[in-house]
Amino acid sequence: RGTSLAAIAARVGGITAQGVLHHFGTKEALLLEVLRARQREFATVREGQTPDGFAAHLRTVVEMMKAKPGIPQSMMVLSADSVTDGHPAHDFFVERYAGLRSLFSTELARELGDPLPGGLSAESAATLLIAMLDGLRLQWLLDPERVDIAARMDDFLAVLAPGLADGRG
């Protein structure tokens, strides 16, 4: 918000605003590349996942968020901003959420069946899980001392499907 290319270049160091433009073309293109890089970072977590399952993967993501809270804070702000007309990251976030719903739905169905033991479809459960995680992320960012994002996520997983959060530490 309101950051100039010169300020971005100065923060990175060793590059000028013209250098940033040379590599990315526009500030909006730079934003999208930063978002894609973040996406790739989480994809590598997924690829390196142990066979501990879906809940273990979610715990790893939560630990990554807690280690660098500025990143989930930026993602929260950008995803909320992207609902406005003409936002440069609108399509990115539409695709991101569609991809997360698909991934979560597939993983839930693989581990628990479809429908889940409680009768909820894997697709519906995936949508609710993402909504819960976004809401928890917001509450945790606002009050990290009182909101234990990992514990509340495990609570939700246990409600969603008893046994899903087993093995939590």
Side-chain angles (χ1 to χ4, degrees):
R1 291 185 183 168
T3 302
S4 69
L5 284 173
I8 293 168
R11 178 81 188 250
V12 172
I15 192 167
T16 64
Q18 291 76 22
V20 172
L21 283 175
H22 170 76
H23 289 287
F24 298 100
T26 65
K27 192 163 80 168
E28 290 78 14
L30 172 61
L31 169 65
L32 292 173
E33 187 52 38
V34 168
L35 291 170
R36 287 185 200 108
R38 175 77 174 143
Q39 201 77 341
R40 286 189 301 271
E41 179 183 349
F42 277 94
T44 59
V45 169
R46 181 88 190 134
E47 292 164 5
Q49 180 180 347
T50 63
D52 294 336
F54 182 62
H57 169 70
L58 290 178
R59 281 187 208 95
T60 300
V61 170
V62 166
E63 290 307 313
M64 289 175 68
M65 287 189 331
K66 288 169 64 175
K68 296 179 182 177
I71 294 173
Q73 180 184 45
S74 297
M75 292 295 284
M76 177 65 66
V77 170
L78 286 167
S79 66
D81 282 351
S82 75
V83 303
T84 59
D85 289 338
H87 193 279
H90 174 81
D91 291 344
F92 172 86
F93 281 103
V94 167
E95 292 170 17
R96 177 179 184 266
Y97 280 107
L100 286 173
R101 284 190 305 273
S102 176
L103 173 67
F104 286 13
S105 177
T106 299
E107 291 298 315
L108 287 167
R110 183 182 59 75
E111 285 192 28
L112 302 168
D114 193 4
L116 276 61
L120 195 61
S121 73
E123 184 178 344
S124 293
T127 302
L128 292 171
L129 179 57
I130 293 164
M132 182 278 307
L133 288 170
D134 275 357
L136 259 181
R137 180 175 50 162
L138 178 61
Q139 291 181 60
W140 166 71
L141 287 166
L142 289 169
D143 196 355
E145 297 302 316
R146 284 200 240 155
V147 178
D148 183 340
I149 190 171
R152 299 300 70 83
M153 179 192 67
D154 277 337
D155 291 343
F156 183 82
L157 293 175
V159 169
L160 186 62
L164 184 60
D166 286 351
R168 58 182 151 170

